[in-house]
Short mmCIF file of all heavy atoms in Angstrom, two decimals:
data_model
loop_
_atom_site.label_atom_id
_atom_site.label_comp_id
_atom_site.label_asym_id
_atom_site.label_seq_id
_atom_site.Cartn_x
_atom_site.Cartn_y
_atom_site.Cartn_z
N GLU A 876 6.41 1.29 -4.50
CA GLU A 876 5.69 0.12 -4.00
C GLU A 876 6.00 -1.07 -4.82
O GLU A 876 6.15 -0.96 -6.06
CB GLU A 876 4.20 0.37 -3.91
CG GLU A 876 3.76 1.54 -3.09
CD GLU A 876 3.76 2.87 -3.82
OE1 GLU A 876 4.14 2.94 -5.01
OE2 GLU A 876 3.23 3.88 -3.30
N SER A 877 6.09 -2.25 -4.21
CA SER A 877 6.36 -3.44 -4.93
C SER A 877 5.71 -4.66 -4.28
O SER A 877 5.28 -4.55 -3.08
CB SER A 877 7.90 -3.70 -5.05
OG SER A 877 8.46 -3.80 -3.76
N GLY A 878 5.72 -5.76 -4.96
CA GLY A 878 5.23 -7.01 -4.35
C GLY A 878 3.86 -7.47 -4.77
O GLY A 878 3.41 -8.53 -4.41
N GLY A 879 3.21 -6.65 -5.55
CA GLY A 879 1.91 -7.04 -6.02
C GLY A 879 1.95 -8.14 -7.01
O GLY A 879 3.04 -8.59 -7.50
N GLY A 880 0.80 -8.63 -7.47
CA GLY A 880 0.76 -9.69 -8.45
C GLY A 880 -0.65 -10.30 -8.54
O GLY A 880 -1.56 -9.80 -7.97
N LEU A 881 -0.65 -11.42 -9.28
CA LEU A 881 -1.89 -12.21 -9.41
C LEU A 881 -1.89 -13.28 -8.38
O LEU A 881 -0.92 -14.10 -8.29
CB LEU A 881 -2.00 -12.71 -10.82
CG LEU A 881 -3.13 -13.74 -11.07
CD1 LEU A 881 -4.46 -13.10 -10.91
CD2 LEU A 881 -2.97 -14.27 -12.52
N VAL A 882 -2.95 -13.43 -7.65
CA VAL A 882 -3.02 -14.45 -6.62
C VAL A 882 -4.46 -14.99 -6.64
O VAL A 882 -5.45 -14.29 -6.97
CB VAL A 882 -2.65 -13.91 -5.26
CG1 VAL A 882 -3.64 -12.82 -4.81
CG2 VAL A 882 -2.50 -14.98 -4.21
N GLN A 883 -4.58 -16.24 -6.28
CA GLN A 883 -5.90 -16.88 -6.21
C GLN A 883 -6.62 -16.47 -4.93
O GLN A 883 -5.94 -16.07 -3.96
CB GLN A 883 -5.79 -18.40 -6.21
CG GLN A 883 -5.30 -18.94 -7.59
CD GLN A 883 -5.30 -20.46 -7.60
OE1 GLN A 883 -5.34 -21.11 -6.56
NE2 GLN A 883 -5.29 -21.04 -8.82
N PRO A 884 -7.95 -16.52 -4.90
CA PRO A 884 -8.65 -16.21 -3.69
C PRO A 884 -8.16 -17.10 -2.55
O PRO A 884 -7.88 -18.29 -2.73
CB PRO A 884 -10.11 -16.57 -4.03
CG PRO A 884 -10.22 -16.34 -5.50
CD PRO A 884 -8.83 -16.77 -6.03
N GLY A 885 -7.94 -16.51 -1.40
CA GLY A 885 -7.40 -17.20 -0.28
C GLY A 885 -5.83 -17.12 -0.18
O GLY A 885 -5.29 -17.57 0.79
N GLY A 886 -5.24 -16.57 -1.21
CA GLY A 886 -3.78 -16.48 -1.23
C GLY A 886 -3.27 -15.33 -0.44
O GLY A 886 -3.98 -14.53 0.17
N SER A 887 -1.96 -15.23 -0.52
CA SER A 887 -1.19 -14.17 0.25
C SER A 887 -0.24 -13.43 -0.61
O SER A 887 0.29 -13.97 -1.57
CB SER A 887 -0.46 -14.82 1.44
OG SER A 887 -1.40 -15.51 2.30
N LEU A 888 0.09 -12.24 -0.16
CA LEU A 888 1.11 -11.41 -0.79
C LEU A 888 1.73 -10.54 0.28
O LEU A 888 1.13 -10.27 1.33
CB LEU A 888 0.48 -10.48 -1.86
CG LEU A 888 0.07 -11.06 -3.24
CD1 LEU A 888 -0.61 -10.01 -4.04
CD2 LEU A 888 1.30 -11.60 -4.00
N ARG A 889 2.95 -10.15 -0.04
CA ARG A 889 3.60 -9.18 0.91
C ARG A 889 4.02 -7.98 0.04
O ARG A 889 4.88 -8.14 -0.89
CB ARG A 889 4.82 -9.75 1.59
CG ARG A 889 5.41 -8.84 2.64
CD ARG A 889 6.57 -9.49 3.43
NE ARG A 889 7.04 -8.67 4.50
CZ ARG A 889 6.57 -8.64 5.70
NH1 ARG A 889 5.53 -9.47 6.05
NH2 ARG A 889 7.06 -7.85 6.66
N LEU A 890 3.50 -6.82 0.35
CA LEU A 890 3.80 -5.59 -0.34
C LEU A 890 4.88 -4.86 0.43
O LEU A 890 4.92 -4.88 1.67
CB LEU A 890 2.57 -4.73 -0.46
CG LEU A 890 1.34 -5.40 -1.07
CD1 LEU A 890 0.23 -4.38 -1.16
CD2 LEU A 890 1.62 -6.11 -2.33
N SER A 891 5.74 -4.18 -0.32
CA SER A 891 6.80 -3.39 0.32
C SER A 891 6.82 -2.02 -0.25
O SER A 891 6.51 -1.80 -1.43
CB SER A 891 8.15 -4.09 0.12
OG SER A 891 9.16 -3.42 0.85
N CYS A 892 7.14 -1.06 0.60
CA CYS A 892 7.23 0.38 0.16
C CYS A 892 8.61 0.84 0.63
O CYS A 892 8.92 0.79 1.82
CB CYS A 892 6.09 1.13 0.87
SG CYS A 892 6.33 2.94 0.76
N SER A 893 9.35 1.37 -0.30
CA SER A 893 10.65 1.93 0.02
C SER A 893 10.50 3.45 -0.31
O SER A 893 9.79 3.85 -1.19
CB SER A 893 11.76 1.35 -0.75
OG SER A 893 11.58 1.53 -2.14
N ALA A 894 11.25 4.26 0.49
CA ALA A 894 11.15 5.70 0.32
C ALA A 894 12.53 6.28 0.14
O ALA A 894 13.48 5.78 0.73
CB ALA A 894 10.46 6.31 1.55
N SER A 895 12.53 7.32 -0.65
CA SER A 895 13.74 8.10 -0.77
C SER A 895 13.41 9.59 -0.60
O SER A 895 12.23 10.02 -0.81
CB SER A 895 14.41 7.88 -2.14
OG SER A 895 13.54 8.29 -3.17
N GLY A 896 14.38 10.39 -0.14
CA GLY A 896 14.16 11.80 0.06
C GLY A 896 13.39 12.14 1.27
O GLY A 896 12.96 13.32 1.47
N ILE A 897 13.18 11.18 2.13
CA ILE A 897 12.38 11.44 3.34
C ILE A 897 12.78 10.31 4.37
O ILE A 897 12.99 9.17 3.99
CB ILE A 897 10.83 11.32 3.08
CG1 ILE A 897 10.06 11.77 4.33
CG2 ILE A 897 10.42 9.99 2.53
CD1 ILE A 897 8.59 11.88 4.02
N ILE A 898 12.85 10.73 5.61
CA ILE A 898 13.10 9.82 6.71
C ILE A 898 11.81 9.40 7.30
O ILE A 898 11.15 10.15 8.02
CB ILE A 898 14.05 10.45 7.77
CG1 ILE A 898 15.30 11.03 7.10
CG2 ILE A 898 14.37 9.44 8.85
CD1 ILE A 898 16.14 9.97 6.45
N LEU A 899 11.38 8.16 7.05
CA LEU A 899 10.08 7.67 7.42
C LEU A 899 9.86 7.61 8.94
O LEU A 899 8.73 7.67 9.41
CB LEU A 899 9.74 6.35 6.80
CG LEU A 899 9.67 6.32 5.25
CD1 LEU A 899 9.22 4.93 4.85
CD2 LEU A 899 8.74 7.42 4.79
N SER A 900 10.89 7.50 9.68
CA SER A 900 10.79 7.35 11.11
C SER A 900 10.13 8.57 11.81
O SER A 900 9.68 8.45 12.98
CB SER A 900 12.08 7.04 11.80
OG SER A 900 13.02 8.09 11.54
N SER A 901 10.06 9.64 11.10
CA SER A 901 9.44 10.82 11.67
C SER A 901 7.94 10.91 11.43
O SER A 901 7.23 11.83 11.94
CB SER A 901 10.11 12.10 11.04
OG SER A 901 11.43 12.15 11.35
N TYR A 902 7.41 9.93 10.71
CA TYR A 902 6.00 10.04 10.23
C TYR A 902 5.21 8.76 10.45
O TYR A 902 5.70 7.63 10.38
CB TYR A 902 5.98 10.30 8.72
CG TYR A 902 6.74 11.56 8.35
CD1 TYR A 902 8.10 11.50 7.87
CD2 TYR A 902 6.12 12.77 8.35
CE1 TYR A 902 8.75 12.63 7.57
CE2 TYR A 902 6.80 13.97 8.05
CZ TYR A 902 8.10 13.89 7.63
OH TYR A 902 8.78 15.03 7.27
N ASN A 903 3.91 9.01 10.75
CA ASN A 903 2.96 7.90 10.70
C ASN A 903 2.82 7.55 9.23
O ASN A 903 2.82 8.50 8.37
CB ASN A 903 1.61 8.31 11.25
CG ASN A 903 1.70 8.70 12.69
OD1 ASN A 903 2.54 8.16 13.46
ND2 ASN A 903 0.92 9.67 13.12
N MET A 904 2.63 6.29 8.94
CA MET A 904 2.50 5.89 7.54
C MET A 904 1.22 5.07 7.30
O MET A 904 0.64 4.47 8.24
CB MET A 904 3.67 4.98 7.17
CG MET A 904 5.03 5.72 7.13
SD MET A 904 5.08 6.93 5.79
CE MET A 904 4.95 5.88 4.41
N GLY A 905 0.83 5.04 6.04
CA GLY A 905 -0.37 4.26 5.72
C GLY A 905 -0.24 3.52 4.43
O GLY A 905 0.60 3.93 3.57
N TRP A 906 -0.99 2.46 4.31
CA TRP A 906 -1.13 1.79 3.06
C TRP A 906 -2.57 2.09 2.59
O TRP A 906 -3.54 1.98 3.38
CB TRP A 906 -0.97 0.29 3.19
CG TRP A 906 0.46 -0.18 3.04
CD1 TRP A 906 1.35 -0.37 4.03
CD2 TRP A 906 1.18 -0.40 1.83
NE1 TRP A 906 2.58 -0.77 3.51
CE2 TRP A 906 2.50 -0.77 2.14
CE3 TRP A 906 0.84 -0.36 0.51
CZ2 TRP A 906 3.49 -1.11 1.16
CZ3 TRP A 906 1.79 -0.69 -0.50
CH2 TRP A 906 3.07 -1.05 -0.16
N TYR A 907 -2.69 2.46 1.28
CA TYR A 907 -3.95 2.83 0.72
C TYR A 907 -4.21 1.95 -0.51
O TYR A 907 -3.25 1.36 -1.03
CB TYR A 907 -3.91 4.28 0.25
CG TYR A 907 -3.54 5.30 1.33
CD1 TYR A 907 -2.20 5.46 1.74
CD2 TYR A 907 -4.48 6.08 1.93
CE1 TYR A 907 -1.86 6.33 2.73
CE2 TYR A 907 -4.15 7.04 2.90
CZ TYR A 907 -2.86 7.15 3.28
OH TYR A 907 -2.51 8.06 4.27
N ARG A 908 -5.43 1.85 -0.94
CA ARG A 908 -5.69 1.16 -2.13
C ARG A 908 -6.74 1.85 -2.95
O ARG A 908 -7.64 2.50 -2.38
CB ARG A 908 -6.09 -0.31 -1.88
CG ARG A 908 -7.41 -0.49 -1.19
CD ARG A 908 -7.65 -1.94 -0.85
NE ARG A 908 -8.92 -2.14 -0.16
CZ ARG A 908 -9.30 -3.29 0.43
NH1 ARG A 908 -8.52 -4.37 0.35
NH2 ARG A 908 -10.49 -3.40 0.97
N GLN A 909 -6.76 1.62 -4.24
CA GLN A 909 -7.76 2.21 -5.10
C GLN A 909 -8.17 1.12 -6.12
O GLN A 909 -7.31 0.68 -6.98
CB GLN A 909 -7.26 3.50 -5.79
CG GLN A 909 -8.36 4.16 -6.59
CD GLN A 909 -7.98 5.55 -7.03
OE1 GLN A 909 -6.76 5.89 -7.09
NE2 GLN A 909 -8.94 6.38 -7.31
N ALA A 910 -9.42 0.75 -6.10
CA ALA A 910 -9.98 -0.18 -7.04
C ALA A 910 -10.56 0.58 -8.21
O ALA A 910 -10.96 1.79 -8.01
CB ALA A 910 -11.01 -1.10 -6.36
N PRO A 911 -10.74 -0.03 -9.32
CA PRO A 911 -11.31 0.71 -10.49
C PRO A 911 -12.67 1.26 -10.17
O PRO A 911 -13.53 0.62 -9.61
CB PRO A 911 -11.41 -0.43 -11.57
CG PRO A 911 -10.35 -1.39 -11.20
CD PRO A 911 -10.29 -1.36 -9.70
N GLY A 912 -12.84 2.53 -10.50
CA GLY A 912 -14.12 3.17 -10.29
C GLY A 912 -14.43 3.55 -8.82
O GLY A 912 -15.48 4.05 -8.56
N LYS A 913 -13.46 3.39 -7.94
CA LYS A 913 -13.63 3.70 -6.54
C LYS A 913 -12.62 4.72 -6.08
O LYS A 913 -11.56 4.87 -6.69
CB LYS A 913 -13.55 2.42 -5.69
CG LYS A 913 -14.68 1.39 -5.97
CD LYS A 913 -14.63 0.29 -5.01
CE LYS A 913 -15.73 -0.70 -5.19
NZ LYS A 913 -15.70 -1.82 -4.24
N GLN A 914 -13.00 5.33 -4.97
CA GLN A 914 -12.02 6.32 -4.38
C GLN A 914 -10.86 5.54 -3.65
O GLN A 914 -11.07 4.40 -3.20
CB GLN A 914 -12.74 7.21 -3.40
CG GLN A 914 -13.65 8.23 -4.01
CD GLN A 914 -14.12 9.30 -3.07
OE1 GLN A 914 -14.27 8.99 -1.86
NE2 GLN A 914 -14.47 10.42 -3.52
N ARG A 915 -9.77 6.25 -3.59
CA ARG A 915 -8.68 5.67 -2.82
C ARG A 915 -9.01 5.61 -1.39
O ARG A 915 -9.61 6.57 -0.80
CB ARG A 915 -7.42 6.49 -3.04
CG ARG A 915 -6.14 5.99 -2.42
CD ARG A 915 -4.95 6.88 -2.82
NE ARG A 915 -4.58 6.68 -4.20
CZ ARG A 915 -4.02 7.60 -4.92
NH1 ARG A 915 -3.81 8.74 -4.44
NH2 ARG A 915 -3.69 7.34 -6.20
N GLU A 916 -8.75 4.53 -0.71
CA GLU A 916 -9.06 4.33 0.72
C GLU A 916 -7.85 3.89 1.47
O GLU A 916 -6.97 3.22 1.02
CB GLU A 916 -10.20 3.30 0.90
CG GLU A 916 -9.78 1.89 0.50
CD GLU A 916 -10.85 0.84 0.95
OE1 GLU A 916 -11.68 1.13 1.85
OE2 GLU A 916 -10.82 -0.27 0.41
N LEU A 917 -7.83 4.35 2.74
CA LEU A 917 -6.79 3.88 3.67
C LEU A 917 -7.18 2.51 4.19
O LEU A 917 -8.30 2.29 4.65
CB LEU A 917 -6.73 4.85 4.84
CG LEU A 917 -5.81 4.51 5.96
CD1 LEU A 917 -4.35 4.65 5.55
CD2 LEU A 917 -6.04 5.38 7.21
N VAL A 918 -6.29 1.56 4.11
CA VAL A 918 -6.55 0.21 4.62
C VAL A 918 -5.80 -0.08 5.90
O VAL A 918 -6.28 -0.89 6.69
CB VAL A 918 -6.27 -0.92 3.58
CG1 VAL A 918 -7.19 -0.78 2.40
CG2 VAL A 918 -4.80 -0.84 3.13
#
């Protein structure tokens, strides 16, 4: 995963995920996030 950073409230970012060892076209995909002290969630 790449593309994260520091942004001001109201700002924008574009995250990218590249994969190796797997052909993604065969799979449903998800982006997940985990904040400190919280469980990982599907967004």
Side-chain angles (χ1 to χ4, degrees):
E876 300 89 354
S877 62
L881 172 63
V882 64
Q883 292 185 341
S887 299
L888 286 172
R889 187 175 185 89
L890 309 183
S891 186
C892 167
S893 62
S895 60
I897 185 171
I898 305 300
L899 295 185
S900 60
S901 298
Y902 302 95
N903 300 327
M904 292 294 298
W906 274 95
Y907 304 77
R908 68 185 179 188
Q909 187 167 21
K913 296 187 177 181
Q914 288 190 332
R915 187 175 286 151
E916 66 168 341
L917 175 72
V918 295

